Every structure is written in C-alpha cells, then in structure tokens.
Amino acid sequence: MVSPALYNHLLLTPEQRARIDVVLVSPRNPLNIGAVARAMANFGFEHLTVVSAYDPHWREARSAVGAPELLQHARETQAIADALAPCTFVAGTGTLTHRNPEQTVLSLPHLAPRMALELARGGRAALVLGPEKHGLTRDDLSYCHVLVEIPTDPRQPSMNLGQAAAVCLYELAARPPQSTSIPEPANAPQSTTLTADSAQLDRLAALIDQTMAAAEYSPETMRQANHHDLRLLLRRLAPNAHDTRRILGLFRRILWRLSHQPTAEKTSPHR
C-alpha cells in the first residue's frame, strides 16, 4: 500500500488546484453532478460551475458523498461564456467519434503538462465536460483552447460523466514531483506573459464582429458562423492581455470611422 505521505506528494498544491475550475455544461442527471463533486473532493478540487442544468434541484444530489458543501457552494450560470470568463486556458472534453475537431486535440495524458504551464504563468484553467447524451456541442467547443480526448476502447468510446471527471482529475492531480521537468507541448504559447482571459477574447470577438457587420463584410446570414470562427481563431492565436487591449483599441477606431463616414461614402462603389 502506498503511504499517504507519498500519495499526497503527487498532488497539486492547494494554490494550484484553486485555479482550476470544473465546468459542467447542460447536465441532465443530478446524480451525475453529485458524482463529479465527489470526484473533485477525492482529488482536492473545489471550484465547480454548472451551466444551464436540466434539473433545478441538482444541489440536492445524494451522490455527492463527502462533498455536500462543494455542491452547495457551486457556481451556477446560464451561459458557458459566463462560466469561462476568468479562464486563460480552457480544455473541453469529448470523443473524436463523429466529430471533426476545429481546435488542437490533446490525449488526456498530455493535458497535465499543458495545464501546468498555464498555472506556472499565473493563469486560471478550466476543465469542461458536456451533457451525458451527446457531450459538448461544436458551439461549446468554440470557447475551448484544446479538445481533450480520453483514450478508450473504440467499441465503447463514451464514458459516464462522473467517471470521465474522475479520470481527468486524477491525471491533473497526480502530476510529477516538483523536481521533475515537464516538457513543453508543441501547441503551448511560448511567451511567459499571461494570455488574455476568455472574457477579454469574447469582447474582442464581439467587437470584430460589429466591425465586420459595419463594413458589410458578409451577408447577415453568415454572422453567427463568423462569430463562431472568430472565437476559435482568437483562442488559437492566444494573444496576451496587453496585445488584446491594443487590438481592441484598433477595432474600436475602425468601427468609429465606419459608423461616422458620410452616407454617400458608405455606398460609393469606389470605397
């Protein structure tokens, strides 16, 4: 049997775990939410956010054995954007079956080193899990920097929500000791400067979207698709907070000029 001291040596520090959020999107079964809370308590994670739960009584789930307070103090939002607003790195989970991923795909064993780099920069990270029936949607994943795949047998690729959370959280908690160097993944930002958080990126995406509409960049019917692509693009580029503010200023100026130019100039074929 492994001694408690040796086991605890492998866990993230309380300060590191405090900067990792577990986010459940549209969960349907309160028992599964309770199972996730129990898994979080097993590995020392405390910050749970539930987005648009199907059952309003999910805080009463009896499956949260040893974690009733975690469930009671969980944050509740109606939109995934609100849940992820303070996060500088977001990992969505899912299977690649019947899915054409639009972001970098990480196998679960490679998630911990990538997240460790974000924590070392002082960032905040989120692990996002989707509803039991179909997982995260394409739109949900557009808020994520990476898609994490849990290696499973192809004959049964899907997992129960509580089981998936437990496997992921174990991988994050049981990191190498401090003395072990962690190789930097190829897709990780090279700068030690903290990347912009999700709320900043969403503000920038919304402003670029308004600017594109003012410039009549594409038909109105394409606006939702454009916004989806902008969310993905900005997360792939991973600009830092300073650069994001500069880009915001640039597009605000462009939008102001587009909004204030004379009507004749707007409709001129030579613009």
Side-chain angles (χ1 to χ4, degrees):
M1 178 180 295
V2 179
S3 69
L6 179 59
Y7 176 77
N8 289 336
H9 179 63
L10 297 179
L11 294 179
L12 292 166
T13 66
E15 190 275 335
Q16 289 171 320
R17 280 175 273 150
R19 286 189 283 122
I20 297 179
D21 297 329
V22 177
V23 179
L24 306 183
V25 180
S26 303
R28 297 184 63 85
N29 190 334
L31 294 178
N32 285 335
I33 302 175
V36 172
R38 180 176 184 176
M40 291 175 63
N42 286 146
F43 299 110
F45 296 91
E46 298 179 353
H47 298 285
L48 173 65
T49 300
V50 178
V51 180
S52 189
Y54 180 80
D55 190 323
H57 305 294
W58 56 269
R59 293 185 192 273
E60 303 168 14
R62 296 183 179 181
S63 53
V65 179
E69 291 186 1
L70 191 155
L71 207 58
Q72 290 302 314
H73 295 149
R75 183 182 174 212
E76 185 173 12
T77 71
Q78 293 302 311
I80 187 172
D82 295 332
L84 301 176
C87 299
T88 57
F89 176 72
V90 180
T93 58
T95 175
L96 296 183
T97 305
H98 308 303
R99 189 191 298 277
N100 184 21
E102 298 175 289
Q103 52 281 111
T104 298
V105 177
L106 290 182
S107 181
L108 179 58
H110 297 134
L111 175 61
R114 176 65 184 85
M115 200 167 279
L117 287 171
E118 194 63 31
L119 296 176
R121 276 192 287 267
R124 187 173 193 88
L127 177 71
V128 186
L129 299 103
E132 297 88 335
K133 188 172 182 179
H134 53 72
L136 295 173
T137 65
R138 180 172 176 263
D139 191 61
D140 294 334
L141 286 169
S142 69
Y143 291 91
C144 302
H145 295 82
V146 298
L147 170 61
V148 178
E149 181 190 22
I150 303 174
T152 55
D153 191 298
R155 294 170 295 183
Q156 178 52 283
S158 65
M159 295 184 70
N160 172 272
L161 183 59
Q163 293 173 328
V167 170
C168 291
L169 294 175
Y170 170 78
E171 285 286 337
L172 292 177
R175 61 174 176 81
Q178 294 285 354
S179 59
T180 302
S181 61
I182 300 175
E184 184 166 338
N187 65 298
Q190 299 301 309
S191 173
T192 57
T193 305
L194 189 61
T195 55
D197 63 33
S198 190
Q200 291 172 308
L201 295 181
D202 286 341
R203 282 196 294 272
L204 179 54
L207 180 59
I208 296 175
D209 179 64
Q210 291 175 12
T211 306
M212 291 167 65
E216 300 179 359
Y217 175 82
S218 61
E220 179 66 25
T221 55
M222 291 294 296
R223 189 165 184 179
Q224 184 174 353
N226 288 337
H227 200 71
H228 171 92
D229 292 344
L230 280 171
R231 284 198 300 265
L232 285 167
L233 175 62
L234 291 174
R235 282 157 177 82
R236 282 198 295 267
L237 293 175
N240 61 43
H242 175 74
D243 289 343
T244 300
R245 287 193 295 271
R246 293 291 300 272
I247 300 170
L248 276 166
L250 171 66
F251 275 94
R252 285 188 183 118
R253 184 63 178 173
I254 294 172
L255 181 59
W256 187 91
R257 291 296 298 269
L258 288 171
S259 302
H260 288 78
Q261 63 181 326
T263 303
E265 185 180 342
K266 290 182 181 181
T267 58
S268 173
H270 303 293
R271 62 182 180 183

